[in-house]
Amino acid sequence: MELDNEADNFERGELDKFKIPIGDVGRAYKLRIFHDNSNPFPGWHLEKIRMENLASGEKYTFQCGQWLSRDDGDGQTVRELPAESSSILPLQNTDYTIEIYCEQCKQTNNEVDVSIQLFGQRGDTGRRQLVKTTLRKKPQWTSGKVGKFSLNAVSLGDIRRLAIYQHAEGVELSVEKVIVTASSGQRCTFETGGWLRGGGSSLTLHASPHEDDGASQDSGETHQVTVFTSDVRGAGTDANVFVSLFGDRSTSATLPLKTSLTHKNKFERNQEDVFKLETGTPLGRLTKLRISHDGSGLAAGWHLKSVEVRKVLGKGCGPAAVFRCDQWISKSKQPALFLDLRAEGTGTADSTTSAAVTARRSDDGAESGAGEDTY
């Protein structure tokens, strides 16, 4: 959807507001913003976007603080921004490295114009034009070459398929395979052996069941999560509770704590509830835990004492990662309904900002060209 760019829009230090008629998209979890790199001085440094659902009153903030520019920053003109609000947890952004193995390339006078789109369990990246390699050089689409590119997106979770497009007329490109590696450590190989012939051609590829080096892909882990509700007045909650686990290798999805193995009525005062959770990929050593609830039910405020997480190993469990809290998760006590807790330490609350689409450009003296003329 286009944001009309009038003569005085998107200038340095300014605030622009737009009213956009769209259908019900449900609860927002990310926003994708981009420009077409047209007109003189298209580079744009975006501070943040605020969005409000005028029907429901729901408000979201999307933090950016980056360039959308071919010449500044990382050279990308597309940004995916995770939604933040008082009732949801912001997802994490992930860097994806893409290696495209070019088998053959036949072309006339036109330059090769390739874009790619990744699909995962949390949606897709949109089409991303592959303009510059990770070395910030123009790609060389020649036989036997490997083009290496990067893109950043809100975490897709498990990558399931990709689509690769070739837009230029008079070009025939044979792709042997594509390898995608996430900064979390996830690695997927897409075998193809197919041709992209002429403008508008495309290939859709599904991840191979095994890596090209013969190693099988990670199958995930099971964790035992023990939640301790404090022994203070009104500590219990009937709200729906969720948790995200952060490791030094990967991060889990936001997982609901549905069925307690120890109590039918979970999260009551001075109670210990045990849950079993499956993660999509191995997490490594746990470093952080994010716990939240949706504020539903009467007296939804919850005083959490601590959480212990153990990796399930066969019939037993590994050592516990302890996340101490001793705080309220309550709208009446703090602006956000989630807390970030560090392993073997005290929890620290990450407050989120609640805020018709409002885009603000940076007003930093170092960003001398923060305004832009692009649509």
Side-chain angles (χ1 to χ4, degrees):
M1 184 166 292
E2 183 178 351
L3 300 179
D4 291 335
N5 188 355
E6 298 178 357
D8 56 351
N9 283 346
F10 308 124
E11 294 301 320
R12 176 177 173 177
E14 294 298 322
L15 183 71
D16 298 302
K17 296 185 178 182
F18 305 87
K19 188 174 182 180
I20 302 173
I22 57 175
D24 184 9
V25 297
R27 176 172 288 183
Y29 73 96
K30 72 176 181 180
L31 178 148
R32 184 182 304 133
I33 189 164
F34 59 95
H35 65 71
D36 61 6
N37 205 50
S38 63
N39 294 327
F41 312 110
W44 181 35
H45 195 279
L46 173 64
E47 181 183 332
K48 62 185 174 183
I49 295 174
R50 290 176 178 161
M51 182 175 74
E52 179 180 355
N53 184 325
L54 298 179
S56 67
E58 289 181 286
K59 299 177 182 179
Y60 304 92
T61 299
F62 303 87
Q63 301 286 350
C64 183
Q66 297 184 78
W67 283 99
L68 287 79
S69 172
R70 295 270 174 86
D71 301 315
D72 301 287
D74 60 6
Q76 297 191 30
T77 58
V78 181
R79 295 293 172 197
E80 281 200 352
L81 313 175
E84 300 180 22
S85 81
S86 60
S87 61
I88 63 172
L89 299 172
L91 296 171
Q92 303 296 305
N93 276 64
T94 298
D95 291 316
Y96 295 95
T97 300
I98 300 161
E99 298 170 88
I100 300 179
Y101 289 71
C102 179
E103 199 167 29
Q104 296 183 60
C105 184
K106 303 175 183 178
Q107 61 191 95
T108 56
N109 294 327
N110 293 329
E111 294 186 354
V112 181
D113 183 3
V114 174
S115 59
I116 198 166
Q117 186 171 7
L118 307 181
F119 299 83
Q121 64 186 130
R122 299 195 195 103
D124 65 272
T125 62
R127 294 192 189 186
R128 305 292 186 96
Q129 192 175 15
L130 303 180
V131 178
K132 292 184 178 180
T133 66
T134 53
L135 298 177
R136 302 297 305 278
K137 294 181 179 180
K138 183 178 178 180
Q140 299 295 315
W141 299 101
T142 54
S143 301
K145 289 284 187 178
V146 179
K148 193 172 184 180
F149 307 88
S150 65
L151 65 84
N152 181 274
V154 172
S155 175
L156 296 170
D158 291 337
I159 302 171
R160 295 171 175 170
R161 60 188 171 94
L162 65 79
I164 185 167
Y165 307 87
Q166 203 292 120
H167 308 282
E169 297 292 344
V171 172
E172 295 184 3
L173 182 67
S174 174
V175 178
E176 177 188 351
K177 64 181 176 181
V178 180
I179 297 177
V180 179
T181 306
S183 54
S184 63
Q186 181 189 11
R187 185 172 185 265
C188 297
T189 299
F190 300 83
E191 303 285 352
T192 168
W195 281 89
L196 293 162
R197 300 182 186 273
S201 56
S202 65
L203 290 170
T204 298
L205 313 175
H206 294 268
S208 303
H210 298 284
E211 288 298 319
D212 58 314
D213 61 3
S216 62
Q217 290 188 355
D218 294 330
S219 58
E221 298 173 335
T222 301
H223 288 83
Q224 177 179 291
V225 178
T226 305
V227 179
F228 299 86
T229 300
S230 302
D231 186 15
V232 299
R233 183 180 179 182
T237 185
D238 292 324
N240 297 307
V241 176
F242 305 86
V243 70
S244 297
L245 304 176
F246 296 74
D248 57 8
R249 289 186 60 191
S250 185
T251 302
S252 77
T254 300
L255 305 169
L257 299 180
K258 287 185 176 180
T259 304
S260 172
L261 302 179
T262 51
H263 297 91
K264 184 176 181 180
N265 193 13
K266 56 187 182 287
F267 309 127
E268 294 300 309
R269 176 177 175 175
N270 196 30
Q271 185 167 289
E272 176 183 331
D273 292 288
V274 179
F275 305 85
K276 289 290 181 65
L277 299 180
E278 301 285 342
T279 60
T281 56
L283 305 178
R285 183 179 62 85
L286 294 180
T287 58
K288 185 175 79 169
L289 176 147
R290 180 172 291 169
I291 192 160
S292 68
H293 66 75
D294 61 4
S296 61
L298 297 175
W302 182 35
H303 199 284
L304 175 65
K305 181 179 180 181
S306 64
V307 180
E308 294 181 1
V309 182
R310 292 176 171 85
K311 182 179 176 181
V312 176
L313 303 170
K315 295 182 179 180
C317 292
V322 179
F323 302 87
R324 306 189 190 281
C325 183
D326 292 318
Q327 295 186 58
W328 286 98
I329 306 178
S330 171
K331 284 185 177 179
S332 64
K333 306 292 184 181
Q334 61 178 52
L337 287 180
F338 70 89
L339 292 171
D340 279 359
L341 310 176
R342 300 290 175 179
E344 297 294 338
T346 57
T348 56
D350 273 4
S351 60
T352 58
T353 306
S354 298
V357 172
T358 305
R360 180 182 291 277
R361 272 79 35 233
S362 298
D363 190 18
D364 188 330
E367 318 292 2
S368 59
E372 64 115 25
D373 295 317
T374 296
Y375 293 82

